[in-house]
Amino acid sequence: MNWQSEVIALIDDYFKAYGIKYSPREDVDGCLVDFFNYQMKLIKPLPRRVYISDELKSRKIPIENFWPLVIIEQKITKGENVMFHQSKNLFNPKTTDDLLNDWLIYHLHLSDWKEKPNDKFFARTKHVLFVAFSEHEAFFIDVRPHGKNGEPYVFAKKELLEIMDNNWPWMMEKYYWKDVYEVSPNCT
């Protein structure tokens, strides 16, 4: 057995140990991408201070999502696990989350109930919380509708980045191009 086969076997064993269905790719590079993709999607359950954007503070949240939002804030503050508010694709190592991969923005479903008693995940909701994390902080960016009857292209909205820049500009500094003042055409 060569080192690549050993790495593939280790990754396969890792996913099996956590009960995650996984069909290893034939190449070690692909398996490593899957492993790190999965790791990237995980929100470590650590106590964090929560910051709420001015835009979210002024937004009218549907009543059915307001209390789950408060509960999620409490979970994050206490360091409790919020993974079952995430996408059901969380446990699919081959599925990427482009908003997370590009901008480190997660989305959480705003429910506090499950459709079936044995479900792992909380019920899917039209409105989702967009949130960014550091090791000791959580930044609640906005709540927006998504899905079939939601806001079109909600996961590609420039406004999410503008909210981050307006509220926590230091988080966006790594994306600035110091010598570029204007981009034409204006990307939306």
Side-chain angles (χ1 to χ4, degrees):
M1 182 181 267
N2 61 29
W3 71 269
Q4 289 114 334
S5 298
E6 289 180 29
V7 170
I8 292 170
L10 284 171
I11 291 170
D12 189 33
D13 290 345
Y14 172 86
F15 287 128
K16 283 180 185 170
Y18 286 98
I20 297 170
K21 294 177 184 173
Y22 180 68
S23 301
R25 299 176 193 257
E26 293 181 14
D27 63 300
V28 70
D29 294 344
C31 288
L32 286 167
V33 167
D34 293 343
F35 176 77
F36 290 118
N37 179 54
Y38 172 71
Q39 290 294 314
M40 176 101 172
K41 293 190 278 185
L42 296 177
I43 300 169
K44 292 181 182 158
L46 300 169
R48 290 179 169 93
R49 183 171 178 181
V50 174
Y51 296 93
I52 301 172
S53 73
D54 293 337
E55 292 82 354
L56 180 54
K57 287 177 188 173
S58 66
R59 185 167 306 285
K60 193 168 187 152
I61 308 295
I63 191 68
E64 66 271 14
N65 302 120
F66 179 77
W67 288 115
L69 177 62
V70 171
I71 290 168
I72 288 171
E73 180 181 2
Q74 291 171 348
K75 285 180 178 181
I76 291 170
T77 302
K78 293 177 186 176
E80 295 176 7
N81 202 332
V82 293
M83 77 165 53
F84 295 116
H85 292 280
Q86 288 182 256
S87 168
K88 288 184 178 179
N89 284 322
L90 172 67
F91 296 122
N92 183 344
K94 294 180 181 177
T95 300
T96 59
D97 181 331
D98 294 335
L99 184 61
L100 175 61
N101 290 346
D102 290 343
W103 302 105
L104 302 175
I105 298 174
Y106 294 81
H107 72 279
L108 302 176
H109 289 266
L110 296 171
S111 64
D112 59 353
W113 58 279
K114 298 180 178 183
E115 292 179 11
K116 298 176 192 163
N118 294 334
D119 283 350
K120 287 184 180 182
F121 286 90
F122 287 93
R124 308 292 84 190
T125 55
K126 178 179 177 181
H127 286 80
V128 294
L129 168 66
F130 291 94
V131 57
F133 290 94
S134 71
E135 189 172 349
H136 301 289
E137 299 153 322
F139 303 91
F140 285 20
I141 301 165
D142 206 356
V143 169
R144 292 183 176 221
H146 83 303
K148 189 168 78 172
N149 296 317
E151 190 175 329
Y153 307 107
V154 72
F155 293 102
K157 290 290 184 181
K158 183 170 76 170
E159 289 87 4
L160 295 173
L161 304 178
E162 291 169 344
I163 291 170
M164 288 178 69
D165 195 40
N166 292 339
N167 289 270
W168 312 289
W170 55 269
M171 290 180 71
M172 301 304 292
E173 283 178 359
K174 62 185 167 197
Y175 301 109
Y176 292 159
W177 290 359
K178 303 289 185 221
D179 298 327
V180 175
Y181 298 102
E182 185 176 352
V183 175
S184 180
N186 185 13
C187 302
T188 59

